Amino acid sequence: VIRIALDAMGGDNAPRVPPTFRIQLVGRTADVEAALQAHGNVDRKRLDIVEAPEVVGMGEKPLAAIKSKPRSSIAVGLGLQKQGQSDAFISAGNTGAVMAAATLLLRVHEGVARAAIGTAFPTAGQPVLVIDGGANVDCDARELVGFAHLGSVYARDVMGRPSPGVGLLNVGEEDEKGNAVVKEAHQLLKQTPGIRYVGNGGEIDVVVCDGFVGNAILKFYESAGRMFAGMLQQALPDVLGRPEVKQLFKFLDYSEYGGAPLLGVKGVAIICHGASLARAIMHAVRVAAQMVESHLDQDIGAEFAEGGTVR
Amino acid sequence: VIRIALDAMGGDNAPRVPPTFRIQLVGRTADVEAALQAHGNVDRKRLDIVEAPEVVGMGEKPLAAIKSKPRSSIAVGLGLQKQGQSDAFISAGNTGAVMAAATLLLRVHEGVARAAIGTAFPTAGQPVLVIDGGANVDCDARELVGFAHLGSVYARDVMGRPSPGVGLLNVGEEDEKGNAVVKEAHQLLKQTPGIRYVGNGGEIDVVVCDGFVGNAILKFYESAGRMFAGMLQQALPDVLGRPEVKQLFKFLDYSEYGGAPLLGVKGVAIICHGASLARAIMHAVRVAAQMVESHLDQDIGAEFAEGGTVR
């Protein structure tokens, strides 16, 4: 049985999001119980409630919050995994606090310089993984190479791409373009064993960039999707009930995409959008289960333990 | 009469794009004449042809191309402006070559550290100007402040925003977030007279970022728009003929947005997408005329000549 700890206090809609999987709900027991009661027919056999009396607010400074609140839902939920009592942790709470706590409590695999957020982006074909989606705003070239390793393992294990192509987000196609860090990363990636670097040409499964750029694209996609959805609603009120149109709206709604894994830590941690609704959490639970079942954690450890890669 | 020099050799569709304004077509006279003949009923009274025997290819290295081809359509077109024989230059050719030539031939206004590309982005409300859209991949904080000045003047003169709000593209809303350059720029912008810096809150007309990030967002928007348009076509084949839907497609098609001004040079230069069709060039001509009529060039000179600003 895969045990998934779910932060019941994080996110705009916590703790009312109903669990849809075998879940350890971590939070203030009274609040969680009240939310479960309010929801009605919940299958309690699939649920544990794990008491965590403290709550980290969305606006709190991550590191200070984690240090001053050792009994927060975030710290307790990740702590379960450290103690071998859980397999994964999901939170829609304070992103920085989840990253800080995961790095402090679970620690990163040996050889991993920085944990990074992987975010799946829709394309006309299969989704691509953009890494880093916002964990590290200033990155050097070797850290970007590390993200290429993390993203490649994730693409193989969870996205079903046996030989993932890696691209580097850049302003142009030629070798001499890009900023200083990207130029260096481009040269390093060309000679990194174990990474199928395809530059800007060829089928790409993993796009490597620093967290500043990745986050900018992510936010931009969210707002563009909302804007397009709004225009569609205005322009075509009579066809909104059609199943194809509902599908299109799902595609435009980033909250449908579930959570983003924090890759590189020893364990499984997924960060969800603060505005996540039940469906997004359900997707995150599904991804968490895939991460556990595919032994992603061990595979990342092995990827970085192997010699011959640029680190 | 506003005289606009149009690079007749640049872009995938050159020189067949028909002129729709008082235009100086710059290029190989024989090719331009042939294209005009092929197009049929063109009002030649609104047209001059200016001979430029050399062509800069889309894949050529910008600086080398400009130096080795002084009689290219780009160099000749910008040269007209330098000699007082033209008011604006528009090209859908090699972006780097246009930037290099504009900087070399027109030079930047005193106090301008770097010329930057302004790109208009649609939002649910009015469009915002993202600056820099790709001219400078590595920027320091003072250069970002310079972009805030350039963007503010453009927003006032061309976009009709009397008191433009300036935002800084960042990963979070708090002062302490962002990468090192953005943190410093945030502090500088808060104390820069003449800039109405609204941070991440409040109505934003101008978004400041380095050219690497701006270009990433631009490309992403283009591909997202194409993707959404494709999905719409597949999902709703029966409503594609409706005017509202056509409007939606126009909105999704970035080539509708015309050109992007290169701001900071002494003069008017507009860079268009390589795949621009007639409509995009027409928009660029309209924007060029607005830039000339509003005396943007002089206003930028005055903005940077005034004391008291951080530069």
Side-chain angles (χ1 to χ4, degrees):
Chain A
V1 175
I2 296 171
R3 302 152 302 171
I4 295 173
L6 179 58
D7 179 1
M9 308 311 286
D12 305 347
N13 300 293
R16 276 191 207 85
V17 173
T20 54
F21 207 76
R22 172 89 201 152
I23 298 291
Q24 298 158 313
L25 284 172
V26 185
R28 288 183 181 143
T29 305
D31 292 359
V32 174
E33 282 288 0
L36 290 172
Q37 297 295 338
H39 197 263
N41 58 337
V42 175
D43 178 6
R44 297 292 292 258
K45 290 195 298 290
R46 314 185 74 195
L47 279 187
D48 302 310
I49 299 177
V50 180
E51 168 68 7
E54 293 173 318
V55 178
V56 175
M58 292 303 259
E60 284 192 66
K61 294 196 181 182
L63 208 58
I66 289 308
K67 289 197 170 163
S68 67
K69 293 178 176 172
R71 302 182 69 203
S72 71
S73 53
I74 293 172
V76 171
L78 286 161
L80 289 175
Q81 216 173 135
K82 198 180 176 178
Q83 294 143 29
Q85 291 168 26
S86 181
D87 301 299
F89 178 66
I90 296 170
S91 177
N94 184 316
T95 299
V98 176
M99 290 191 300
T103 310
L104 284 172
L105 293 172
L106 302 180
R107 303 203 171 272
V108 296
H109 282 285
E110 197 166 338
V112 172
R114 308 251 208 136
I117 293 175
T119 45
F121 272 86
T123 72
Q126 290 186 296
V128 298
L129 187 78
V130 174
I131 183 168
D132 176 19
N136 310 283
V137 291
D138 279 307
C139 297
D140 65 28
R142 274 161 196 273
E143 288 163 355
L144 292 181
V145 174
F147 300 165
H149 284 287
L150 291 172
S152 293
V153 180
Y154 186 84
R156 281 197 294 267
D157 280 5
V158 179
M159 299 169 76
R161 319 281 169 92
S163 176
V166 173
L168 184 63
L169 192 72
N170 204 352
V171 293
E173 263 120 80
E174 297 93 53
D175 276 24
E176 73 273 10
K177 282 196 179 172
N179 61 26
V181 169
V182 166
K183 277 183 204 168
E184 192 189 340
H186 173 70
Q187 296 305 331
L188 289 176
L189 283 168
K190 284 200 287 188
Q191 61 199 47
T192 302
I195 296 294
R196 190 164 75 77
Y197 180 56
V198 295
N200 288 285
E203 199 72 23
I204 287 175
D205 300 288
V206 177
V207 175
V208 171
C209 59
D210 72 45
F212 189 92
V213 175
N215 194 262
I217 293 174
L218 176 66
K219 277 189 192 157
F220 195 81
Y221 183 87
E222 277 183 38
S223 69
R226 270 197 304 274
M227 183 176 66
F228 295 149
M231 294 180 73
L232 210 57
Q233 273 172 321
Q234 279 212 316
L236 297 166
D238 56 316
V239 300
L240 297 179
R242 294 191 198 170
E244 316 86 273
V245 177
K246 286 191 177 160
Q247 196 60 37
L248 206 59
F249 277 106
K250 271 179 76 168
F251 188 85
L252 292 176
D253 180 5
Y254 199 82
S255 73
E256 284 286 334
Y257 292 93
L262 181 66
L263 300 174
V265 296
K266 292 180 187 166
V268 171
I270 291 188
I271 296 165
C272 295
H273 199 291
S276 293
L277 297 174
R279 184 177 286 277
I281 301 292
M282 185 187 75
H283 286 305
V285 168
R286 182 177 47 75
V287 170
Q290 281 181 279
M291 287 169 75
V292 175
E293 283 172 337
S294 66
H295 306 289
L296 176 78
D297 185 37
Q298 294 91 314
D299 290 345
I300 285 176
E303 174 91 2
F304 281 83
E306 279 163 19
T309 55
V310 181
R311 279 194 283 273
Chain B
V1 176
I2 296 171
R3 304 152 300 173
I4 295 173
L6 178 60
D7 179 1
M9 308 310 287
D12 304 346
N13 301 294
R16 275 190 207 87
V17 173
T20 55
F21 207 78
R22 172 91 200 150
I23 297 291
Q24 299 159 314
L25 284 171
V26 186
R28 287 183 183 144
T29 305
D31 292 357
V32 175
E33 282 288 1
L36 291 171
Q37 297 295 338
H39 195 262
N41 58 337
V42 175
D43 180 6
R44 296 292 290 257
K45 289 196 298 293
R46 314 186 73 196
L47 278 187
D48 302 312
I49 298 176
V50 181
E51 168 69 7
E54 293 172 319
V55 179
V56 174
M58 292 303 259
E60 283 191 68
K61 294 197 181 183
L63 208 59
I66 290 306
K67 290 195 168 165
S68 68
K69 292 177 175 173
R71 301 182 70 203
S72 71
S73 53
I74 293 171
V76 171
L78 286 161
L80 288 175
Q81 217 174 134
K82 196 179 178 180
Q83 295 144 28
Q85 291 168 26
S86 182
D87 300 297
F89 178 66
I90 295 170
S91 177
N94 184 316
T95 299
V98 176
M99 291 192 298
T103 309
L104 285 172
L105 293 173
L106 302 179
R107 301 202 172 274
V108 296
H109 282 284
E110 197 166 338
V112 173
R114 308 252 208 136
I117 293 175
T119 44
F121 273 85
T123 73
Q126 290 188 295
V128 298
L129 187 78
V130 173
I131 182 168
D132 175 19
N136 311 285
V137 291
D138 279 308
C139 297
D140 65 28
R142 275 162 194 274
E143 288 163 355
L144 293 182
V145 174
F147 299 166
H149 284 287
L150 291 171
S152 292
V153 180
Y154 185 84
R156 281 197 293 270
D157 281 6
V158 179
M159 299 169 77
R161 320 279 168 92
S163 175
V166 172
L168 185 62
L169 192 73
N170 203 352
V171 291
E173 262 120 80
E174 298 92 52
D175 276 26
E176 72 273 12
K177 282 196 180 172
N179 62 26
V181 169
V182 166
K183 277 183 204 167
E184 192 189 340
H186 174 70
Q187 296 304 333
L188 290 175
L189 283 168
K190 284 201 287 189
Q191 61 199 44
T192 302
I195 296 294
R196 191 164 75 77
Y197 179 55
V198 295
N200 289 285
E203 198 72 20
I204 287 175
D205 300 289
V206 176
V207 175
V208 171
C209 59
D210 71 44
F212 189 90
V213 175
N215 193 262
I217 293 174
L218 175 67
K219 277 190 193 158
F220 196 81
Y221 184 86
E222 277 183 37
S223 69
R226 269 197 305 273
M227 184 176 65
F228 295 149
M231 294 180 72
L232 212 56
Q233 275 172 320
Q234 278 211 315
L236 298 165
D238 55 318
V239 301
L240 297 179
R242 293 191 199 171
E244 316 84 274
V245 177
K246 285 191 177 160
Q247 197 60 37
L248 205 60
F249 277 106
K250 269 178 77 167
F251 188 86
L252 292 177
D253 180 6
Y254 199 84
S255 73
E256 284 287 332
Y257 292 92
L262 181 66
L263 300 174
V265 295
K266 292 181 187 166
V268 172
I270 291 187
I271 297 166
C272 294
H273 199 291
S276 293
L277 298 173
R279 183 175 287 274
I281 300 293
M282 186 188 74
H283 285 305
V285 168
R286 182 177 47 75
V287 170
Q290 280 179 279
M291 289 170 74
V292 174
E293 283 172 336
S294 66
H295 306 291
L296 176 78
D297 186 36
Q298 295 91 313
D299 291 345
I300 285 176
E303 174 93 3
F304 281 83
E306 279 165 18
T309 56
V310 181
R311 281 194 284 275

